[in-house]
């Protein structure tokens, strides 16, 4: 009989559906859902995070303390800086401690205010150029330290949230081996859902080109669980909380 015969194809279709029905029925019976209920979709009364989690909130100082503990637990370094006036000295010290010879930063006024060109004139300093992203990408690949201003930080997971745009190339926080992330204290959130909700609400205005969640230095392991640091991102990650 030819496989193009309609009766043959119909027979194969029936057998396939019967086999599928028996398979689903077996699973349903093992789950205690045999009989007429086996074909009915299970009910899902909850959508999204439960109310008690949406109400969960830490105080300002608790958020900072929780974030710093989680960031360190993931292998990162973190410091609390009193204000923007002191930040420049802290960043300068970190660059010197790690022997950095070059930096690249996002093209933001807050980071220009660090005046690293004045404090460390012997280093090569670059600014992400959204008009020539290819050249900036190539520069970031061979730069020792990337300096980024984060959009949000999440205390409960110890994560930084960095969006990308013409002024904030993603390579600044991904390619250099040393990441120095600046975290304004007022951007510290308790739960990741707060960030996701904000991003969802802004979808109508256009989502950012990229949203990156950073939870400490890059950690990679192979099938044998041999851990390697810094393969797919910075191997040294600082989170400097300002305020």
């Amino acid at each position: 009989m030819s496989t193009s015969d309609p009766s043959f194809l119909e027979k194969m279709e029936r057998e396939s559906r019967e086999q599928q029905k028996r398979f689903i029925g077996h699973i349903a019976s093992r789950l205690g859902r045999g009989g007429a209920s086996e074909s009915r979709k299970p009910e899902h009364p909850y959508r999204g995070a439960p109310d008690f989690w949406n109400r969960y909130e830490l105080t300002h100082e608790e958020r900072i303390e929780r974030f710093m503990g989680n960031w360190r637990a993931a292998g990162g370094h973190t410091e609390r800086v009193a204000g923007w006036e002191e930040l420049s000295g802290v960043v300068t010290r970190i660059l010197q401690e790690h022997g950095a010879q070059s930096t690249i930063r996002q093209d933001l006024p807050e980071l220009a205010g660090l005046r690293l060109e004045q404090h460390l004139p012997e280093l090569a300093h670059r600014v992400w150029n959204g008009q020539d992203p290819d050249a900036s990408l190539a520069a970031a690949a061979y730069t020792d330290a990337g300096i980024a201003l984060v959009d949000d930080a999440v205390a409960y997971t110890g994560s930084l949230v960095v969006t990308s745009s013409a002024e904030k190339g993603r390579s600044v926080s991904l390619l250099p081996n040393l990441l120095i992330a600046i975290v304004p204290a007022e951007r510290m959130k308790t739960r990741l859902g707060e960030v996701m909700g904000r991003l969802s609400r802004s979808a109508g205005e256009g989502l950012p080109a990229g949203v990156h969640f950073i939870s400490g230095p890059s950690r990679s392991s192979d099938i044998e669980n041999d851990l390697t640091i810094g393969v797919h991102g910075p191997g040294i990650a600082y989170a400097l909380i300002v305020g």
Side-chain angles (χ1 to χ4, degrees):
M1 180 181 295
S2 171
T3 56
S4 61
D5 185 345
S7 61
F8 174 79
L9 296 178
E10 290 173 2
K11 178 176 179 293
M12 294 295 292
E13 175 71 13
R14 286 196 304 272
E15 291 178 352
S16 176
R17 290 186 178 277
E18 286 296 326
Q19 185 178 17
Q20 181 185 60
K21 185 177 180 179
R22 289 194 299 271
F23 178 75
I24 297 298
H26 175 69
I27 294 177
S29 65
R30 295 297 296 271
L31 294 174
R33 297 182 58 248
S37 65
E38 69 180 49
S39 61
R40 189 172 66 245
K41 293 182 180 180
E43 295 182 3
H44 294 282
Y46 301 108
R47 288 292 184 270
D51 291 339
F52 78 88
W53 182 245
N54 287 326
R55 292 192 299 268
Y56 180 72
E57 186 63 65
L58 299 171
T59 67
H60 179 72
E61 290 301 319
E62 287 174 338
R63 290 196 294 269
I64 292 173
E65 182 179 353
R66 178 72 65 88
F67 172 86
M68 295 179 75
N70 287 333
W71 183 264
R72 287 174 179 144
H77 305 274
T78 181
E79 298 182 27
R80 184 93 180 262
V81 183
W84 290 91
E85 297 78 11
E86 295 81 11
L87 180 61
S88 182
V90 175
V91 174
T92 297
R93 171 177 55 79
I94 293 171
L95 292 171
Q96 291 175 328
E97 288 177 350
H98 291 279
Q101 297 298 310
S102 54
T103 71
I104 186 168
R105 61 174 173 79
Q106 298 169 330
D107 188 12
L108 298 173
E110 295 91 339
L111 301 183
L114 296 175
R115 303 186 305 279
L116 294 178
E117 292 84 354
Q118 300 176 28
H119 295 295
L120 294 170
E122 68 276 15
L123 271 59
H125 300 283
R126 301 180 178 89
V127 180
W128 181 268
N129 183 0
Q131 302 302 315
D132 192 358
D134 291 338
S136 292
L137 174 63
Y142 294 97
T143 299
D144 294 329
I147 304 173
L149 180 67
V150 308
D151 295 84
D152 297 285
V154 182
Y156 199 83
T157 60
S159 302
L160 303 177
V161 183
V162 183
T163 61
S164 57
S165 65
E167 297 78 24
K168 302 188 298 180
R170 69 192 72 186
S171 299
V172 171
S173 61
L174 292 177
L175 295 184
N177 185 57
L178 169 61
L179 169 64
I180 301 176
I182 311 303
V183 187
E186 66 272 13
R187 299 186 184 184
M188 186 72 67
K189 306 295 193 300
T190 297
R191 297 167 284 105
L192 187 59
E194 297 174 74
V195 178
M196 302 305 292
R198 178 179 63 79
L199 292 172
S200 177
R201 290 189 296 272
S202 66
E205 304 169 4
L207 290 171
V211 181
H212 312 282
F213 299 89
I214 305 170
S215 301
S218 168
R219 305 166 69 89
S220 306
S221 61
D222 59 18
I223 196 171
E224 296 180 349
N225 290 325
D226 291 327
L227 181 65
T228 305
I229 303 296
V231 174
H232 299 108
I236 305 170
Y238 279 81
L240 303 180
I241 302 173
V242 184

